[in-house]
Amino acid sequence: MSDQLPQGATIGILGGGQLGRMLSVAASRLGLRTHVFEPGANPPAGHVADAVTTASYEDHDALAEFAASVDVITYEFENIPTAALDVLQELRPIRPGREALRVSQDRLTEKTFLTDLGLRTAPFADITDADSLAAALEVIGTPAILKTRRFGYDGKGQARILGPEDAAKALEDMRGAPAILEGFVEFSCEVSVIAARSADGSVACFDPGENIHREGILRTTTVPARLSGKQRTDAVLLAAQILNALNYVGVMGVELFVTPQGLLVNEMAPRVHNSGHWTQNGCTIDQFEQHIRAVANWPLGDGSRYADVQMENLIGDDLDRLPELAREADTAIHLYGKGAVKAGRKMGHVNRIIRG
Amino acid sequence: MSDQLPQGATIGILGGGQLGRMLSVAASRLGLRTHVFEPGANPPAGHVADAVTTASYEDHDALAEFAASVDVITYEFENIPTAALDVLQELRPIRPGREALRVSQDRLTEKTFLTDLGLRTAPFADITDADSLAAALEVIGTPAILKTRRFGYDGKGQARILGPEDAAKALEDMRGAPAILEGFVEFSCEVSVIAARSADGSVACFDPGENIHREGILRTTTVPARLSGKQRTDAVLLAAQILNALNYVGVMGVELFVTPQGLLVNEMAPRVHNSGHWTQNGCTIDQFEQHIRAVANWPLGDGSRYADVQMENLIGDDLDRLPELAREADTAIHLYGKGAVKAGRKMGHVNRIIRG
């Protein structure tokens, strides 16, 4: 591609957490610099970025200055305020584009987008008040789960409804935010497809990984996932369909439920994804570099898997296990350099190579 | 180890080139920050370091401020002025230690150290003037090579002597610097052992790689090297002997000639080494992380090799091949973000996985 970003060019990254940190490292492998925009102090990505802007997403001067200093803008999280995007896109390309953000910032829009594509999801309904919730519960049944349409992650902004008697309390938990009711799905396992699409429309998917969550937080991802050949193909084709429909450029994480009736889409994240961290030690080109390649107009790399891997998140005081983890054979440690250990906080992860 | 460097601690790195750059990346995986000290502007390591000090090694105030801001000091090159080390070691530990620097900064001291250990090297002699050169050429014969004792790298400060008639010109090329005459060795191949030693005395070696040089610059390293089982064992034991003798902490590159009479030590470098770059895509823990682990008082990691790899340096306008390289299967690109392409300048390298 003639406009492949050259040596020394700078990628702007919105968000300075661990994903931005690992994106910065991947960019450095391609001779690129990164400039991180992050409201919080001492962002993990700042330790390995060439520059950091500490400012709020409401500070439009800071946003404009940031944009002017970079060649292209990407992000590590999807909940970027629309007004900030308006400022940025006047100055520099944002990849992946606005449409992916619009769709994935709202659970209702996302579910509607997916079903319009002919893909299957859990049953869902738009909830605006007690009446619409009662009506939806009639159709969807219980157990079900009420979620805010926007700004949810790692199980936050969610309330389980085991029977109609839980409805009022669940609605109250939404604190007036627009919500969506989702039915429970019987699934044998949850898998993720980490898919990449380059500017020229090429799509490449990493081998699907199998996820285990606890308390709403991803604990482990294991490759290969327990999928039949057909399920594996279906998963990859389905992810490619989503990326193509959005004219997407970058890496996306697509979470799928495996059910007797086929694959259901649980969630899509328009960014590198925790369930793709195994690629750092299972592939020559990992998800972070694949994302940077796409965003920088490089051809996608070779993401074929060379090893079986289990990724385990290190959450909160899991970090106390570091001395033992550091001595484990076939184990790569990836820490995020976060100062304070807090319960539920992702502090790092390990990738264990599984020998046959 | 109780004094394993904790999350958020900072490693000071003397030198901001590509080795410092890749050391910074490795440190980030362990949750550590880096602070780079480099006299030159816009150092490649600066793009991924948490902090950069731009100052001369003669600026002792800057050195002291740098040392005070870090927890431990390491380096990416061996020719650090002694006076600078004197300032630094008063304030923070330097790993690897002074003894390794003293030995490797001077070719004569290094060769003497090695032969005192009972190891074999090419024949060598101390050259101080025309008379000592003539006498040495009588014993060592021609062809031979005259080298400055200090500050040589990538073929600089060297002059070949094909016959006695070349002696005067060769000596002139040394510009009065103390020199060493080395005899030529008939060898079937050159291999490198990248060896690591932790503070508790554990030693781990990566699988030896086979090197090809052109015009005095490393072009490729291939693993596995063409060595017999006995040669492989000898190479590793010999490297371990060197590290133990120096009470060494960190990674060292040891270059060996394979001859019919056994292994000869060509050179030792008290740092991560170009011939160890293949470990980035052939091992779960690469040479850069192994060095950081040792320096940070972590246990050494699992450096066992999982793939056959060929590392190829990208030198000067080799960078023009980037569009094709980016499309190669099984190929990982590592660029250094250097602004100006110059003939003979190392711009990056690729690691190619060799499928059987």
Side-chain angles (χ1 to χ4, degrees):
Chain A
M1 276 172 266
S2 59
D3 54 350
Q4 189 171 319
L5 264 197
Q7 289 293 284
T10 301
I11 296 179
I13 301 177
L14 302 171
Q18 62 265 25
L19 301 181
R21 180 179 175 96
M22 293 183 279
L23 286 170
S24 285
V25 163
S28 81
R29 284 200 296 267
L30 303 183
L32 304 170
R33 303 180 193 215
T34 55
H35 183 161
V36 165
F37 188 100
E38 163 65 47
N42 189 20
H47 306 168
V48 283
D50 189 52
V52 180
T53 294
T54 306
S56 139
Y57 285 104
E58 278 72 55
D59 184 342
H60 291 184
D61 290 342
L63 284 168
E65 206 172 309
F66 164 79
S69 79
V70 303
D71 296 282
V72 59
I73 297 167
T74 189
Y75 42 86
E76 60 140 32
F77 76 119
E78 54 271 38
N79 292 318
I80 305 154
T82 303
L85 294 169
D86 290 340
V87 173
L88 296 168
Q89 75 172 14
E90 286 299 309
L91 294 160
R92 290 294 182 275
I94 301 175
R95 298 183 190 134
R98 289 291 293 263
E99 181 62 2
L101 283 170
R102 189 188 67 80
V103 166
S104 61
Q105 282 185 345
D106 184 313
R107 291 180 197 278
L108 184 66
T109 311
E110 180 178 307
K111 286 261 190 312
T112 307
F113 162 78
L114 292 166
T115 51
D116 286 353
L117 272 184
L119 302 176
R120 300 177 57 210
T121 68
F124 65 94
D126 182 16
I127 304 302
T128 50
D129 54 20
D131 287 349
S132 55
L133 178 54
L137 283 169
E138 289 271 326
V139 178
I140 291 174
T142 54
I145 188 155
L146 191 64
K147 301 178 176 180
T148 55
R149 282 174 53 176
R150 297 174 67 92
F151 303 119
Y153 69 97
D154 285 352
K156 284 163 190 161
Q158 305 195 359
R160 288 188 180 219
I161 301 180
L162 300 179
E165 67 282 6
D166 296 336
K169 172 66 167 65
L171 199 56
E172 201 175 289
D173 285 352
M174 300 298 108
R175 300 173 186 200
I180 178 173
L181 185 72
E182 296 180 13
F184 263 67
V185 172
E186 289 278 338
F187 57 90
S188 56
C189 67
E190 188 208 285
V191 300
S192 283
V193 180
I194 307 298
R197 188 172 178 277
S198 61
D200 67 3
S202 306
V203 173
C205 294
F206 291 99
D207 203 8
E210 182 170 338
N211 301 330
I212 305 285
H213 291 83
R214 210 164 59 226
E215 292 156 18
I217 302 178
L218 182 67
R219 295 294 159 147
T220 63
T221 301
T222 306
V223 281
R226 288 170 299 169
L227 292 175
S228 67
K230 180 178 184 318
Q231 287 170 326
R232 199 174 301 270
T233 307
D234 284 352
V236 163
L237 290 177
L238 177 163
Q241 194 184 349
I242 294 173
L243 270 65
N244 285 331
L246 293 167
N247 197 21
Y248 193 84
V249 176
V251 160
M252 174 182 279
V254 181
E255 289 182 359
L256 303 170
F257 292 135
V258 181
T259 80
Q261 293 76 41
L263 300 172
L264 264 60
V265 183
N266 177 35
E267 219 168 73
M268 47 181 264
R271 53 171 168 79
V272 288
H273 195 260
N274 195 166
S275 64
H277 290 359
W278 67 269
T279 59
Q280 294 173 309
N281 298 98
C283 304
T284 299
I285 308 298
D286 67 18
Q287 68 163 344
F288 302 100
E289 179 170 335
Q290 204 70 301
H291 185 78
I292 295 291
R293 280 174 169 249
V295 165
N297 244 339
W298 282 48
L300 297 178
D302 183 349
S304 51
R305 182 170 65 80
Y306 60 67
D308 294 358
V309 187
Q310 183 170 70
M311 187 287 304
E312 179 191 356
N313 272 335
L314 302 178
I315 297 168
D317 56 18
D318 283 348
L319 218 52
D320 296 344
R321 289 157 48 208
L322 207 49
E324 299 94 81
L325 292 170
R327 289 175 190 284
E328 271 186 31
D330 282 330
T331 299
I333 295 176
H334 299 266
L335 300 179
Y336 309 149
K338 294 181 181 174
V341 176
K342 282 195 292 194
R345 190 174 200 202
K346 291 176 179 171
M347 305 303 294
H349 65 275
V350 293
N351 288 328
R352 290 192 180 86
I353 310 297
I354 308 166
R355 302 287 167 190
Chain B
M1 277 171 266
S2 59
D3 54 351
Q4 189 171 321
L5 264 197
Q7 288 293 284
T10 301
I11 296 180
I13 301 177
L14 302 172
Q18 63 265 22
L19 301 180
R21 179 178 175 98
M22 295 183 276
L23 285 169
S24 285
V25 162
S28 81
R29 284 201 296 269
L30 302 184
L32 303 170
R33 304 180 191 213
T34 55
H35 182 161
V36 165
F37 188 99
E38 165 63 49
N42 188 21
H47 307 167
V48 284
D50 191 51
V52 180
T53 293
T54 305
S56 138
Y57 286 105
E58 277 72 56
D59 184 342
H60 291 184
D61 289 343
L63 284 168
E65 207 172 307
F66 163 79
S69 79
V70 304
D71 296 283
V72 59
I73 297 168
T74 189
Y75 43 87
E76 59 142 32
F77 76 118
E78 52 272 39
N79 292 319
I80 305 152
T82 303
L85 294 168
D86 290 340
V87 173
L88 296 168
Q89 76 171 14
E90 285 299 309
L91 293 159
R92 291 294 182 273
I94 301 176
R95 298 182 190 135
R98 289 290 294 264
E99 181 62 3
L101 284 170
R102 188 188 68 79
V103 166
S104 61
Q105 283 185 345
D106 185 311
R107 290 181 198 277
L108 184 65
T109 311
E110 182 179 306
K111 287 262 192 311
T112 308
F113 162 78
L114 292 167
T115 51
D116 285 354
L117 271 184
L119 303 176
R120 298 177 58 210
T121 66
F124 66 93
D126 184 14
I127 304 301
T128 51
D129 53 20
D131 286 350
S132 56
L133 178 54
L137 282 170
E138 289 271 326
V139 178
I140 291 174
T142 54
I145 188 156
L146 191 65
K147 301 178 174 178
T148 55
R149 282 173 53 176
R150 297 174 66 91
F151 303 120
Y153 68 98
D154 285 352
K156 285 163 190 162
Q158 304 195 359
R160 288 188 181 220
I161 301 180
L162 300 179
E165 67 282 5
D166 296 337
K169 171 69 168 62
L171 198 57
E172 202 176 288
D173 285 353
M174 300 298 107
R175 300 172 186 201
I180 178 173
L181 185 74
E182 295 180 13
F184 264 66
V185 172
E186 289 279 338
F187 57 91
S188 56
C189 66
E190 189 207 285
V191 300
S192 284
V193 180
I194 307 297
R197 187 171 179 277
S198 62
D200 68 2
S202 306
V203 173
C205 293
F206 291 101
D207 204 5
E210 183 171 336
N211 301 329
I212 305 284
H213 290 82
R214 210 163 59 225
E215 293 156 17
I217 302 176
L218 182 68
R219 296 292 159 148
T220 63
T221 301
T222 307
V223 281
R226 289 169 299 169
L227 292 175
S228 67
K230 179 178 183 322
Q231 286 170 326
R232 199 174 302 270
T233 306
D234 284 353
V236 162
L237 289 178
L238 178 164
Q241 194 185 347
I242 295 173
L243 272 64
N244 285 331
L246 293 167
N247 198 20
Y248 194 83
V249 176
V251 160
M252 174 182 281
V254 181
E255 290 181 0
L256 303 171
F257 293 135
V258 180
T259 79
Q261 292 76 40
L263 300 172
L264 263 61
V265 183
N266 177 35
E267 219 169 73
M268 47 181 265
R271 53 170 168 78
V272 289
H273 196 263
N274 195 166
S275 64
H277 291 359
W278 67 267
T279 58
Q280 293 172 311
N281 297 97
C283 305
T284 299
I285 307 300
D286 68 17
Q287 68 163 344
F288 301 100
E289 178 169 336
Q290 204 69 301
H291 185 77
I292 295 291
R293 280 174 170 249
V295 166
N297 245 339
W298 282 49
L300 297 179
D302 183 349
S304 51
R305 183 170 64 81
Y306 59 68
D308 293 359
V309 186
Q310 183 171 69
M311 187 285 305
E312 180 191 355
N313 271 335
L314 302 177
I315 296 169
D317 56 18
D318 284 348
L319 218 54
D320 296 345
R321 290 157 47 207
L322 206 51
E324 299 93 82
L325 292 170
R327 288 176 191 284
E328 271 185 32
D330 282 332
T331 299
I333 295 176
H334 299 266
L335 300 179
Y336 309 150
K338 294 181 181 175
V341 176
K342 283 193 291 191
R345 192 175 198 202
K346 291 177 179 171
M347 305 303 296
H349 64 275
V350 294
N351 288 327
R352 290 191 179 87
I353 310 298
I354 307 166
R355 302 287 168 193

